[in-house]
Amino acid sequence: MTATHHLTADDVVKALALPERARVDQRVPKKMLAEHGAPTAADRRLLTDGIEELQWIAALKPGTVAIPEHRADGREYLEVAVLSVQVRATHGKASQWLRLAELVHRAVPYPVLLIQTLVLSDTATPGDGPPRPPAQLALSLAHKRAAQNEAGKTVLDGELVRSELIGPDSGAASVVGPLLEAMALDRQPHQDLMALYQGWMDCLTAAEAARLTGNFRLPNGTTAAAARREALRACQRLEQEAARLRSQAAKERQIAKQVDLNLELQRLDARLRAARAQL
């Protein structure tokens, strides 16, 4: 497997092992995204100024991957889009990085597997040389459903599921190989396109769990997958709360309050260990 620091969006696409008939390989105008996925003027500016390039890599539908569509419970998975977005170096702040991913998912009427990269300006490709590896690379997915009040519109159904393959998290390197191997199309469920999409989600959830446990393991069935997602959310909430308490304790000057904060941290650590055990 490609070393993490040399990983590119092309490597991810190759790992998916998509059939040639599913490939699109077309550039998507940013104007189209801004028109369909930006609820505010600030979001439109973020899409216009923050994206260097958006590529439509592949369209996965019954005629291209021989997987049936899904129509049930307000969800229509007639096609799954694989997109690659390159974010400009000027928009690499965490808040911008996350918001851009959400806006792209909102703008496309189909569920999307988004490959998101950030290439720093000082690592731009010289001349006609090969593309430089990105400074950040993340994958994200989000379920979609029909909008209740707007016929023909779709909305996100739940939170984004993401995994950073290159980024500030030092644990990213350990999950890249197992994750990309697990993401191959022929390793996903094939009963319908929603099951395929959920299979990819379970891969990303397994990667996030592996950052905490050191063990990349795909869930055994839908019940186990749902339990792991909930345990992972609990871990993330508890880690954020623990970070907040540690910051508060470091600033506290009264001994009695420091003791109280440390006791609360101990209780949080116990809850975090219990949540990690469910991963």
Side-chain angles (χ1 to χ4, degrees):
M1 179 57 62
T2 303
T4 304
H5 63 285
H6 290 150
L7 188 73
T8 67
D10 285 345
D11 293 320
V12 176
V13 174
K14 290 176 184 176
L16 295 176
L18 304 174
E20 190 62 33
R21 62 183 178 276
R23 296 296 295 265
V24 177
D25 297 317
Q26 291 182 3
R27 189 167 183 168
V28 179
K30 291 186 290 184
K31 181 180 179 181
M32 185 181 300
L33 283 183
E35 289 175 350
H36 293 92
T40 68
D43 285 333
R44 285 192 291 275
R45 286 194 300 272
L46 183 59
L47 285 169
T48 301
D49 299 340
I51 291 179
E52 180 66 31
E53 183 177 83
L54 179 67
Q55 286 282 340
W56 184 8
I57 303 296
L60 280 54
K61 45 191 174 181
T64 62
V65 292
I67 298 176
E69 61 188 29
H70 174 93
R71 296 176 186 261
D73 303 322
R75 289 175 169 175
E76 290 189 348
Y77 283 55
L78 313 181
E79 177 179 328
V80 173
V82 180
L83 303 181
S84 176
V85 61
Q86 183 175 321
V87 178
R88 288 175 174 162
T90 52
H91 289 69
K93 291 187 350 185
S95 59
Q96 296 170 318
W97 180 250
L98 292 171
R99 184 59 175 167
L100 277 168
E102 181 181 348
L103 291 173
V104 173
H105 280 283
R106 288 180 181 275
V108 180
Y110 303 110
V112 169
L113 168 58
L114 182 64
I115 306 166
Q116 185 177 7
T117 60
L118 177 85
V119 179
L120 299 181
S121 56
D122 60 358
T123 61
T125 301
D128 296 326
R132 294 290 180 84
Q136 288 180 244
L137 192 155
L139 304 180
S140 61
L141 301 111
H143 278 303
K144 308 202 81 169
R145 61 171 175 80
Q148 294 181 345
N149 301 322
E150 293 184 80
K153 297 284 187 178
T154 59
V155 296
L156 298 189
D157 188 12
E159 61 193 10
L160 264 63
V161 176
R162 304 178 65 259
S163 186
E164 297 270 349
L165 278 65
I166 303 174
D169 180 2
S170 60
S174 63
V175 305
V176 169
L179 173 59
L180 292 187
E181 184 177 347
M183 291 284 289
L185 180 64
D186 62 4
R187 299 192 63 177
Q188 308 314 311
H190 277 46
Q191 57 261 44
D192 60 37
L193 288 174
M194 183 174 172
L196 159 67
Y197 198 72
Q198 184 61 56
W200 275 340
M201 277 196 167
D202 291 344
C203 290
L204 296 194
T205 301
E208 293 306 291
R211 296 177 196 275
L212 301 177
T213 65
N215 179 28
F216 183 93
R217 180 174 54 86
L218 292 172
N220 184 18
T222 56
T223 301
R228 177 181 285 181
R229 288 193 296 273
E230 183 53 42
L232 186 58
R233 283 192 287 266
C235 287
Q236 292 167 342
R237 289 194 299 267
L238 291 169
E239 286 176 337
Q240 290 172 357
E241 177 64 11
R244 185 188 67 80
L245 288 177
R246 289 191 189 95
S247 176
Q248 188 176 342
K251 298 173 184 176
E252 184 57 63
R253 294 294 176 262
Q254 295 185 28
I255 301 299
K257 288 186 177 180
Q258 285 182 345
V259 171
D260 289 340
L261 288 169
N262 285 328
L263 288 173
E264 181 62 23
L265 273 169
Q266 291 176 17
R267 288 191 287 269
L268 270 178
D269 285 340
R271 292 168 60 193
L272 183 56
R273 288 194 298 272
R276 285 180 173 176
Q278 302 302 312
L279 294 174

